Amino acid sequence: MMIVMRHDARPQDVERVLERVRALGFTPHLSQGHERVVIGVIGEARRADPGAFVHLPGVARVVPISRPYKLSSREFHPDNSVVQVGPAGFGGEDIVIIAGPCSVESRSQMLEIAHAVKEAGAHMLRGGAFKPRTSPYSFQGLGEEGLRYLAEAREATGLPVVTEVMAVDQVDLVAQYTDMFQIGARNMQNFALLKAVGKRQVPVLLKRGMSATLSEFLLAAEYILVAGNSQVVLCERGIRTFEPSTRNTTDINAVPVLKASTHLPVIVDPSHSTGHWAYVTPVARAAIAAGADGLIIEVHPRPEEALSDGAQSLKPERFAQLVREVRAIAELVRPRTASLVPGGNHGSAPGV
Ligand code: PEP
Ligand code: MN
């Protein structure tokens, strides 16, 4: 349930509603919209009685939220949320492009790639120091040494960094180095980890599990929001289907469906969703055309030497071409001033 305050509600009216919510055993969640304040009532929804709030001064209306996820729903927060990571604003007017190697391999590799992707137009740098590998015999990442190289590459280029955190006991360490946590596909439903990053004021890039429905994806984001961290960016990274010719299947549908369902920014990872460098640029174009707020792309100067995911890594010059192409598409499809909420005059689109 959410309580929508009137335009002219006074701060003491808002305070009184918050007190009533708490007194009834629920947790209030305040959202300061462009035009008005909305208070989410978090707790066992069935027990909440709208009658307890409708008559309080300053209350415009009480709206039941029909979705299983609440704080991440567009019903709760109709405006797009912008997640700021340094100068990069996910969900704002411009698309955000993250690029870098799958794994941090060495100091020189990281510095070389950081300069190359910056030159090509990337806004953020990626690189895994803790790697979730299918086989325990594969390269597992450099750990803290890798985090140091990432931080050094950030100092050298000014690009904010995103890197994966795989376990609750890594959160403190990774937070010392990164500008944004990545939660990988395999950990999308690691609820203890979601709660742990939810307690930090560090933005989170949450990747969709490879067999997760969009509702499950949004409920995973909800764990982070409920814990107190509202800076979540969703990433579609391909799902498992019966089709073996690509590593995964890019669920392009997920982009408009998520944009209709949630105010959180949505980006696409065409590297993991296709698994082959030749398909990365076409799918990146499709993602931006479908309304994605950005991309995360694996780039390596010598993909044949990469310690992980070389087959899907773009060489820097190909990445530079991708940036030019997706920027041209973004110019066409992204409204400059109007709201990005789909639906226009036809009413809002159905979500999940
Ligand atoms: C990665 O970004 O390198 C990665 C392991 O991604 P995912 O969790 O989507 O497989
Ligand atoms: Mn990878």
Side-chain angles (χ1 to χ4, degrees):
M1 185 166 87
M2 65 183 183
I3 301 162
V4 182
M5 301 302 290
R6 292 162 49 109
H7 292 283
D8 56 358
R10 298 162 305 168
Q12 57 266 43
D13 297 334
V14 174
E15 198 44 53
R16 189 144 163 215
V17 173
L18 295 176
E19 273 166 24
R20 175 68 62 89
V21 172
R22 288 192 202 100
L24 291 171
F26 300 103
T27 306
H29 191 284
L30 193 69
S31 172
Q32 198 87 44
H34 270 332
E35 291 176 5
R36 52 173 93 213
V37 169
V38 176
I39 297 160
V41 180
I42 309 301
E44 211 187 314
R46 277 172 297 126
R47 287 198 302 114
D49 174 13
F53 305 101
V54 278
H55 300 299
L56 292 180
V59 172
R61 58 187 195 281
V62 179
V63 188
I65 297 187
S66 50
R67 318 271 183 200
Y69 48 90
K70 313 277 178 212
L71 301 180
S72 44
S73 74
R74 270 228 190 259
E75 287 169 313
F76 174 60
H77 190 291
D79 297 330
N80 287 316
S81 284
V82 177
V83 175
Q84 202 69 39
V85 186
F90 292 88
E93 285 193 346
D94 296 319
I95 56 169
V96 175
I97 302 177
I98 308 170
C102 179
S103 301
V104 181
E105 299 170 1
S106 68
R107 179 174 178 274
S108 61
Q109 172 243 21
M110 215 44 244
L111 286 169
E112 180 184 358
I113 297 181
H115 286 291
V117 299
K118 182 179 184 173
E119 175 86 358
H123 308 97
M124 278 184 69
L125 185 62
R126 63 151 288 147
F130 294 99
K131 293 302 303 176
R133 304 305 301 279
T134 301
S135 163
Y137 305 116
S138 302
F139 176 59
Q140 303 286 309
L142 293 181
E144 186 168 9
E145 184 187 350
L147 295 174
R148 282 200 296 271
Y149 299 151
L150 268 177
E152 200 179 332
R154 171 185 48 215
E155 296 317 312
T157 57
L159 295 178
V161 301
V162 56
T163 195
E164 180 158 354
V165 56
M166 280 173 51
V168 173
D169 62 11
Q170 293 168 354
V171 170
D172 284 341
L173 176 71
V174 175
Q176 286 171 35
Y177 294 94
T178 200
D179 300 291
M180 186 179 212
F181 290 124
Q182 177 172 322
I183 304 278
R186 291 156 191 81
N187 268 320
M188 189 205 83
Q189 285 187 317
N190 180 338
F191 300 116
L193 184 59
L194 298 173
K195 287 180 188 171
V197 297
K199 291 200 192 109
R200 311 299 295 246
Q201 287 311 311
V202 175
V204 179
L205 180 63
L206 178 64
K207 300 189 93 176
R208 180 182 182 183
M210 56 190 84
S211 60
T213 65
L214 294 176
S215 179
E216 288 163 344
F217 190 17
L218 288 167
L219 283 166
E222 191 78 8
Y223 266 90
I224 303 173
L225 268 59
V226 170
N229 186 351
S230 57
Q231 300 161 268
V232 177
V233 175
L234 303 170
C235 179
E236 163 59 40
R237 48 77 72 205
I239 50 174
R240 279 261 168 103
T241 70
F242 49 78
E243 177 51 60
S245 59
T246 49
R247 182 176 178 182
N248 291 288
T249 296
T250 316
D251 183 6
I252 286 289
N253 294 359
V255 176
V257 175
L258 287 171
K259 294 296 293 181
S261 310
T262 180
H263 54 92
L264 299 173
V266 178
I267 72 166
V268 172
D269 173 349
S271 305
H272 291 88
S273 76
T274 65
H276 195 289
W277 68 267
Y279 307 138
V280 170
T281 298
V283 172
R285 290 190 214 116
I288 297 303
D293 297 303
L295 296 164
I296 178 165
I297 309 285
E298 288 187 340
V299 177
H300 200 290
R302 290 166 297 283
E304 62 289 354
E305 292 174 16
L307 295 182
S308 59
D309 288 350
Q312 67 195 33
S313 298
L314 290 186
K315 291 183 179 166
E317 47 293 3
R318 288 209 169 93
F319 170 66
Q321 179 63 23
L322 175 152
V323 173
R324 285 191 285 275
E325 293 180 11
V326 298
R327 279 212 180 123
I329 294 169
E331 281 297 317
L332 289 174
V333 298
R334 290 183 84 79
R336 279 282 133 195
T337 48
S339 155
L340 296 177
V341 181
N345 293 332
H346 307 288
S348 58
V352 287

